[in-house]
């Protein structure tokens, strides 16, 4: 369940209960802080509603020596750890630890904005599917990623495992992919029926009229496995490209989660006949660039370069090989003439 809490006279949240307890254990909130969730008649003190805090979790430990945070310690916006006030600096009104200051300043220079508070990263809705229900969480996630990608990825959890995002991508990528296979079979059959002369002229070539129907069916059957395998390969290349561009501010897990939510949300666009596959490919890349910029907190330009770099290298390699092959063929033809 998600909670709202009083902060500076205003309502903050919603955040999940485990995050609320972590803030309480870290000293950011107190047992007297007013909290509320849907279904409650009125706001109530946190201590009376959830009880006394348990032992602070490991991530709430101090900066250097692993001590549990003491009363009065302040939570670093960038790392989520708590530190004594003497080890805290304020940037744009938000508290940051001294150890995080350099990376925060660098991020501000690159993006023009301070990093998002970790406490605000509770999304997307798919992460709360156990409460919302799978299909409601899925629809809310797809809507948020497609229509408001900046906000969706600015609040996406950077960590939380690979299984959830992978499941999201496999489900909706497979549905869209299987429907796309059906479209291809129908288009292929229609074209072969409309142009029998072409089919006769290319007799003997098993692929003249496109892939055999059996091959398309095999692709549909293995679609989930192909999507899962492709997600790891593609994300690995993208993360390496981010590292080359100096934009990998977060671990591989963050890049993978971003990729799965971006591509998984764009996949249903393939259900649109004729142009759906093109829309999904183009908007999927746009959303991925925005997502990487938000989750790694880098400039959008750097994210675009990181996404397009593998494509440019691949196209460049093909071009060089084609030119080399053409030159070799021309030289061979010239030698034969002599």
């Amino acid at each position: 369940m998600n909670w709202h809490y009083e902060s500076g006279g205003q309502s903050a949240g919603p955040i999940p209960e485990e995050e609320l307890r972590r803030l309480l254990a870290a000293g950011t909130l107190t047992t007297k802080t007013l909290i509320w969730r849907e279904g409650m008649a009125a706001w109530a003190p946190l201590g009376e509603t959830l009880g006394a805090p348990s032992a602070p979790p490991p991530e709430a430990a101090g900066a250097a020596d692993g001590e549990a945070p003491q009363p009065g310690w302040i939570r670093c916006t960038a790392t989520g750890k708590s530190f004594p006030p003497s080890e805290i600096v304020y940037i744009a009104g938000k508290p940051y630890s001294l150890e995080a200051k350099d990376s925060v300043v660098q991020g501000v220079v690159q993006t023009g904005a301070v990093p998002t508070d970790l406490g605000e990263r509770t999304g997307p809705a798919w992460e709360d599917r156990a409460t919302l229900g799978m299909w409601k969480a899925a629809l809310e996630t797809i809507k948020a990623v497609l229509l408001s990608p900046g906000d969706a990825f600015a609040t996406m959890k950077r960590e939380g495992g690979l299984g959830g995002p992978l499941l999201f991508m496999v489900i909706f990528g497979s549905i869209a992919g299987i429907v796309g296979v059906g479209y291809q079979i129908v288009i292929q059959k229609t074209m072969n029926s409309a142009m029998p002369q072409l089919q006769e002229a290319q007799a003997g070539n098993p692929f003249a009229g496109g892939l055999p129907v059996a091959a398309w069916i095999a692709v549909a059957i293995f679609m989930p496995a192909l999507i899962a395998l492709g997600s790891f390969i593609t994300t690995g290349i993208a993360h390496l490209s981010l590292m080359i561009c100096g934009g990998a501010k977060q671990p591989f897990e963050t890049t993978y989660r971003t990729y799965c939510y971006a591509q998984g949300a764009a996949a249903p666009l393939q259900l649109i006949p004729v142009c759906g596959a093109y829309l999904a490919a183009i908007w999927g890349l746009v959303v991925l660039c925005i997502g990487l910029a938000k989750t790694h907190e880098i400039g959008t330009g750097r994210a675009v370069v990181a996404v397009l770099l593998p494509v440019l290298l691949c196209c460049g390699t093909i071009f060089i090989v084609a030119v080399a092959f053409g030159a070799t063929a021309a030289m061979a033809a010239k030698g034969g003439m002599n």
Side-chain angles (χ1 to χ4, degrees), residues 308-333:
L308 296 182
L309 182 60
V311 178
L312 296 176
L313 290 177
C314 182
C315 293
T317 301
I318 294 174
F319 177 77
I320 293 173
V321 171
V323 171
F325 180 80
T328 303
M331 293 176 62

Side-chain angles (χ1 to χ4, degrees), residues 47-67:
E48 296 179 8
T49 307
L50 297 183
S54 57
E59 62 268 26
D65 53 13
E67 293 182 49

Side-chain angles (χ1 to χ4, degrees), residues 10 20 22-23 63 89 99 111-112 122 129 131 134 149 171 184 199 243 269 336:
Q10 297 182 344
L20 192 68
R22 191 181 69 78
L23 294 177
V89 295
E99 70 174 18
T111 67
T122 59
R129 60 189 179 279
T131 302
M134 177 174 289
I171 289 176
Q184 288 297 326
Q199 193 171 10
M243 295 173 66
L269 293 175

Side-chain angles (χ1 to χ4, degrees), residues 229-283:
L229 177 62
S231 69
F232 284 100
I233 295 174
T234 306
T235 305
I237 295 173
H239 193 71
L240 177 61
S241 184
L242 277 172
M243 295 173 66
I244 294 173
C245 297
K249 307 300 183 182
Q250 303 296 330
F252 171 83
E253 179 181 355
T254 300
T255 304
Y256 186 79
R257 291 170 64 84
T258 304
Y259 176 83
C260 286
Y261 283 126
Q263 298 301 308
L269 293 175
Q270 297 181 48
L271 301 179
I272 302 174
V274 183
C275 64
Y278 301 102
L279 288 175
I282 294 172
W283 193 242

